Amino acid sequence: MKKDNEIRIAGFGGQGIILAGYIIGKAAAIYDDKFSTLIQSFGPEARGSSCAAQVIISESQILYPYIVKPNIAMLMSKDAYERFGGELTDGDIMLIEKDLVQPKKNGKKISVYAIPATRLAEEMGRKIVTNIIMVGFFSAITQITSYEATRKAVESSVPPGTQELNLKAFETGYNYGKKLLSSSEKNVA
Amino acid sequence: MKADPAGVLTGVHYLDGDKACAEGGLAAGCRFFAGYPITPSTEVAERVSERFPYMGGMFIQMEDELASMAAILGGSWAGVKSMTVTSGPGFSLMMENIGLGAMLETPCVVVNVQRGGPSTGLPTLPGQADMMQARWGSHGDYRLIALSPNSPQECFDLTITAFNFSEKYRVPVLFMMDECVGHMTEKVVIPEADKIDLTERRYTKKKPGEYLPYAYGEDLIPDMAKAGDGHFFHVTGLTHDERGYPDMTWEMQEKCVHRLIDKIDKNVDEIFMIEEENMDKAEVVVISYGITSRVALRGIQLAEQAGMKNIGRMRLITVWPFPEKRIRELAKKVKAFVVPEMNYGQMVLEVERCAGGQCKTILVPHGGGTVHKPETIYQAIKEAYK
């Protein structure tokens, strides 16, 4: 049996963390025909500075609903990195917002991929699409959700009238990821 | 009767349990909602309030849960399928009028997205500690129906079932979710309206003046009257005769209240919904419900990997009435029942009662706030095998 993918997505409020988790989960469950469960953080932590979502993607029904040990982390703030960065172990993948997270070496063999998502979004004129750029980046790097499925999930999850902008953001993140992979410009933290 | 397409959001969705429950209500034809927001159930109310304008429903945010429960009883008597939603503290406040709903025999659905308690407890975290309250929470003797979903898909499907049961048996149906199921997002398939079967309310064929609101036939369930059709009648929480007028004699108490019990007890076989697996050779049977049933299956898998093969699994979908007969049958054959639940021992009391000392009953308690560790359930199974 293939091991489940346990994905931690974290950042601060307003970055669209939950929507990013929703789109990734939806891409897997609806368009890639796998099983996925999304759990988001509620309560004080969801309203303050930090915000987190957890997505499990599996080939079979998910029985235990929470992440036990993430193998992928998408971290979009320094606080998120400090809180969750340590959960990863050898062979895991970390995706980070390049300008907001400065990873430290910790001796583990983790593949770290960085993207200046906020800056790219600002260059598009809309900072609000930072999360969608990260989603595109996630799909390109991890290939856990396919290009087609993730693109469809973006299209069907964003408010009407914003599809074009969001799909452009998705492509931006996806292409950045593909380019990064071909230049193998990854760091091992 | 088939569902009204106006309320059915046909398609494949990625929804949390709360929103799926709301969609189930809309598909079932609920067009009146009264409630007071409380975590972790608020998303149900939010979704209903967003969707009602498209299908002519009426949504009222009431001053509290007592009023919410009273309002949906009124809505139902006015001829509209009605629901409310709450969590532990609000469920406590609804108890008096849930009893009124039982006494008046009012179809309605009460959703409780359980969080950790007692009191305000753990607002954003799961619990399953209102299960006995669902059975005994209101004073006096009565029977209700309670269902427990274990996924967002079931939050949709079983809310429809809840409405159907409530119309068929004329009782408030309690929909016992938990925060984990309510706040988890998964794939939810909503079929086309003509694939959704609804139980229609049985209205009287009698003319105004001849209708007796509590006259009943063989199935023990009286016909209802439609508001506006010219029937004048009285309903009361006092013990009443078939006209609905108070009659506070012991003879009428026996007739009136015994029927409230019998109309459910005599139909248990139709109301029971349980899921069973591997029962033929089972030595140990794990009994669970709600989110715990998923975690329990993980615990069973761990036990199977460790070489314990004969583990049966029973999931209660209908939690009240309790599947007494089935548990008694199994108790004669098995070594032990293992009952994990997110409380310090509620449904296990029923299991133990029905087991009647014929086999061991092992509780795997959890105070709530998160779900069991599968390993804990596995350890209990191991213990049960000894």
Side-chain angles (χ1 to χ4, degrees), chain B residues 39-40 87 89 113-127 179 366-370:
Chain B
T39 305
S87 188
V113 188
Q114 296 172 86
R115 60 196 225 183
S119 189
T120 30
L122 302 168
T124 63
L125 300 168
E179 186 276 340
H366 191 296
T370 183

Side-chain angles (χ1 to χ4, degrees), chain B residues 262-374:
Chain B
D262 280 348
K263 71 172 179 178
I264 299 300
D265 282 1
K266 291 195 168 159
N267 289 306
V268 284
D269 291 338
E270 276 184 55
I271 303 169
F272 281 162
M273 292 186 293
I274 48 178
E275 201 177 80
E276 288 188 351
E277 225 175 55
N278 204 21
M279 284 301 188
D280 291 351
K281 290 187 202 152
E283 290 176 67
V284 169
V285 173
V286 179
I287 302 175
S288 56
Y289 54 91
I291 189 62
T292 309
S293 66
R294 289 168 64 161
V295 183
L297 181 51
R298 190 78 198 93
I300 292 171
Q301 288 172 351
L302 292 175
E304 283 170 347
Q305 283 160 17
M308 290 169 249
K309 288 297 169 207
N310 301 327
I311 307 165
R313 181 174 75 91
M314 178 190 282
R315 174 161 79 96
L316 307 176
I317 300 172
T318 306
V319 278
W320 299 115
F322 188 76
E324 296 196 18
K325 217 166 45 180
R326 184 64 181 140
I327 303 283
R328 287 188 211 285
E329 266 170 33
L330 288 169
K332 289 180 205 152
K333 301 194 296 192
V334 306
K335 231 189 241 179
F337 292 123
V338 173
V339 187
E341 50 183 342
M342 248 191 284
N343 56 53
Y344 293 107
Q346 297 197 8
M347 299 310 290
V348 71
L349 299 174
E350 283 296 284
V351 176
E352 205 168 13
R353 179 176 69 82
C354 297
Q358 296 189 83
C359 68
K360 277 192 291 187
T361 303
I362 298 170
L363 165 70
V364 192
H366 191 296
T370 183
V371 298
H372 286 75
K373 283 200 164 63

Side-chain angles (χ1 to χ4, degrees), chain B residues 218-234:
Chain B
E218 248 176 58
D219 70 354
L220 306 179
I221 300 154
D223 294 343
M224 285 188 87
K226 213 175 209 157
D229 278 1
H231 301 281
F232 291 92
F233 59 93
H234 181 76

Side-chain angles (χ1 to χ4, degrees), chain B residues 57-300:
Chain B
M58 180 185 275
F59 179 98
I60 307 181
Q61 182 172 320
M62 299 299 293
E63 65 267 37
D64 60 29
E65 288 86 349
L66 283 88
S68 303
M69 191 59 218
I72 68 159
L73 296 181
S76 183
W77 276 99
V80 183
K81 285 187 183 174
S82 305
M83 78 189 280
T84 187
V85 49
T86 191
S87 188
F91 199 52
S92 291
L93 294 179
M94 285 180 182
M95 280 303 145
E96 181 178 359
N97 282 331
I98 285 175
L100 181 63
M103 190 61 153
L104 300 184
E105 301 180 63
T106 311
C108 59
V109 172
V110 179
V111 179
N112 177 0
V113 188
Q114 296 172 86
R115 60 196 225 183
S119 189
T120 30
L122 302 168
T124 63
L125 300 168
Q128 291 181 316
D130 307 345
M131 302 308 294
M132 278 294 170
Q133 189 182 20
R135 174 68 185 82
W136 300 108
S138 199
H139 57 275
D141 254 324
Y142 56 92
R143 292 284 189 275
L144 300 180
I145 297 169
L147 307 178
S148 173
N150 80 351
S151 67
Q153 180 67 54
E154 277 199 353
C155 290
F156 174 82
D157 297 336
L158 292 177
T159 301
I160 297 173
T161 309
F163 270 99
N164 285 347
F165 279 156
S166 81
E167 293 294 339
K168 183 161 186 191
Y169 300 105
R170 281 192 61 180
V171 283
V173 174
L174 309 177
F175 198 59
M176 303 300 286
M177 294 169 54
D178 55 69
E179 186 276 340
C180 189
V181 164
H183 277 165
M184 65 159 53
T185 302
E186 290 186 341
K187 180 161 98 171
V188 176
V189 181
I190 299 184
E192 280 144 18
D194 63 7
K195 304 263 162 41
I196 300 174
D197 287 311
L198 300 182
T199 303
E200 226 167 327
R201 185 171 298 186
R202 206 172 64 204
Y203 286 113
T204 182
K205 291 184 182 74
K206 296 245 160 80
K207 290 192 190 100
E210 290 171 8
Y211 171 62
L212 295 168
Y214 292 103
Y216 56 87
E218 248 176 58
D219 70 354
L220 306 179
I221 300 154
D223 294 343
M224 285 188 87
K226 213 175 209 157
D229 278 1
H231 301 281
F232 291 92
F233 59 93
H234 181 76
V235 294
T236 174
L238 290 167
T239 297
H240 44 265
D241 61 19
E242 47 183 30
R243 296 171 303 160
Y245 291 166
D247 179 347
M248 286 159 285
T249 59
W250 71 264
E251 291 94 337
M252 192 52 71
Q253 172 76 356
E254 160 63 18
K255 197 177 166 195
C256 175
V257 179
H258 209 155
R259 186 175 57 77
L260 299 182
I261 310 286
D262 280 348
K263 71 172 179 178
I264 299 300
D265 282 1
K266 291 195 168 159
N267 289 306
V268 284
D269 291 338
E270 276 184 55
I271 303 169
F272 281 162
M273 292 186 293
I274 48 178
E275 201 177 80
E276 288 188 351
E277 225 175 55
N278 204 21
M279 284 301 188
D280 291 351
K281 290 187 202 152
E283 290 176 67
V284 169
V285 173
V286 179
I287 302 175
S288 56
Y289 54 91
I291 189 62
T292 309
S293 66
R294 289 168 64 161
V295 183
L297 181 51
R298 190 78 198 93
I300 292 171

Side-chain angles (χ1 to χ4, degrees), chain A residues 22 25-26 29-30 33 36-40 42-43 55 61-66, chain B residues 12-14 43 124 180 183-187 294-295 297-298 301 370-372 374:
Chain A
Y22 179 88
K26 188 180 190 179
I30 296 184
D33 211 21
S36 86
T37 301
L38 161 74
I39 298 265
Q40 44 191 296
F42 279 86
V55 184
Q61 200 206 1
I62 292 148
L63 299 176
Y64 189 79
Y66 303 119
Chain B
V12 182
H13 306 272
Y14 198 54
E43 290 88 340
T124 63
C180 189
H183 277 165
M184 65 159 53
T185 302
E186 290 186 341
K187 180 161 98 171
R294 289 168 64 161
V295 183
L297 181 51
R298 190 78 198 93
Q301 288 172 351
T370 183
V371 298
H372 286 75

Side-chain angles (χ1 to χ4, degrees), chain A residues 150-165:
Chain A
T150 318
R151 194 175 188 282
K152 279 186 201 159
V154 169
E155 199 175 4
S156 64
S157 304
V158 297
T162 69
Q163 277 98 345
E164 206 186 318
L165 171 74

